Amino acid sequence: MRKWLLAIVLIVAFYLDTTLFNSINVYGLRPDVTLTVIVSLGVLLGAAPAAAIGFGIGLLTDIFFNKIVGLTALTYMLTGVLSGFFYRKFYADNLVIPTVTAAVAVFFKMHVFFVAA
């Protein structure tokens, strides 16, 4: 049951990022649901599963929607590793650690894309 729920959450996050939130931009800003899911998985499951899932979802995003294959996969994988450092060190209901980790991950992701462009 847990694997099915994880698959459904990842499919919904992928759908929201690639279709719905691409059309909704407020001053060029849009939410990154997939990155948030990967940060949550890193805190809840650990670095290795979050990095593997992040790499897979990032690779799918790159193949379908980006010209350079591997950048989104790299940033999502490193996000999973970064958030996995907090595995079993903080409570799951603590919102500060995932929020700060997601903010750092978005900052890193945008800088990687900026350097690649």
Side-chain angles (χ1 to χ4, degrees), residues 24-64:
I24 301 173
N25 279 335
V26 179
Y27 299 113
L29 301 173
R30 65 176 187 88
D32 195 351
V33 180
T34 307
L35 186 112
T36 308
V37 169
I38 293 168
V39 168
S40 300
L41 290 175
V43 172
L44 294 174
L45 299 177
I53 291 170
F55 184 78
I57 292 293
L59 197 59
L60 281 176
T61 304
D62 283 338
I63 289 170
F64 288 134

Side-chain angles (χ1 to χ4, degrees), residues 1-114:
M1 180 67 183
R2 183 176 171 187
K3 291 180 183 181
W4 285 103
L5 184 62
L6 179 62
I8 291 171
V9 166
L10 288 171
I11 290 169
V12 168
F14 184 76
Y15 170 76
L16 288 175
D17 272 347
T18 57
T19 58
L20 183 66
F21 290 142
N22 271 341
S23 63
I24 301 173
N25 279 335
V26 179
Y27 299 113
L29 301 173
R30 65 176 187 88
D32 195 351
V33 180
T34 307
L35 186 112
T36 308
V37 169
I38 293 168
V39 168
S40 300
L41 290 175
V43 172
L44 294 174
L45 299 177
I53 291 170
F55 184 78
I57 292 293
L59 197 59
L60 281 176
T61 304
D62 283 338
I63 289 170
F64 288 134
F65 300 106
N66 294 335
K67 292 181 181 177
I68 301 173
V69 176
L71 285 180
T72 308
L74 174 72
T75 57
Y76 284 167
M77 182 182 70
L78 291 177
T79 299
V81 170
L82 175 70
S83 62
F85 287 135
F86 303 112
Y87 177 59
R88 294 193 182 184
K89 292 183 181 156
F90 295 95
Y91 295 112
D93 59 349
N94 185 3
L95 296 177
V96 174
I97 298 301
T99 304
V100 171
T101 306
V104 169
V106 167
F107 184 76
F108 174 72
K109 178 184 173 188
M110 290 302 134
H111 278 79
V112 166
F113 287 159
F114 176 73

